[in-house]
Amino acid sequence: MTLSPYTYVTVSMRPDQPSRFSVAFCSAELRARAWLGENGKPCFDLDTSDASVTVSTSGPVTDDDLTVAREIFNAAARYLADCERLSSGESDKATDSEAA
């Protein structure tokens, strides 16, 4: 079953607890970009026409910022590898059924 592309945003607000925002992008129309923002701060953006998430430093780049940037890089590499593996599996299935 294939769903139409969508963006899912939730906000959880409970007394005496911090608010929590969650954004799920389920779309091939997602755009990712990185740039240097005002004052030379590194910025990373994920967005669709429905919603946007920006990651940036709060000041000068720290070791914690480098850790987060590496985690984003590693997660994106894993996402790419999973997509490539599943895409190649899908095309293998199509080739197998065409041969039959």
Side-chain angles (χ1 to χ4, degrees):
M1 180 173 124
T2 301
L3 298 173
S4 297
Y6 64 93
T7 300
Y8 190 73
V9 179
T10 59
V11 179
S12 299
M13 297 185 333
R14 297 185 178 153
D16 302 321
Q17 293 185 4
S19 299
R20 177 160 171 78
F21 293 83
S22 177
V23 180
F25 297 109
C26 298
S27 172
E29 297 170 5
L30 180 66
R31 292 172 301 280
R33 69 184 189 116
W35 76 99
L36 289 178
E38 292 183 29
N39 301 326
K41 289 177 24 175
C43 298
F44 175 70
D45 231 12
L46 292 173
D47 72 320
T48 67
S49 57
D50 301 322
S52 178
V53 174
T54 300
V55 177
S56 185
T57 64
S58 58
V61 175
T62 65
D63 287 343
D64 289 339
D65 294 316
L66 293 172
T67 298
V68 169
R70 287 184 187 105
E71 289 173 357
I72 292 169
F73 177 85
N74 290 330
R78 172 67 191 267
Y79 180 72
L80 173 61
D82 288 344
C83 286
E84 287 176 336
R85 178 179 50 81
L86 292 169
S87 176
S88 108
E90 297 279 324
S91 55
D92 289 347
K93 288 179 188 174
T95 304
D96 290 344
S97 64
E98 289 171 7

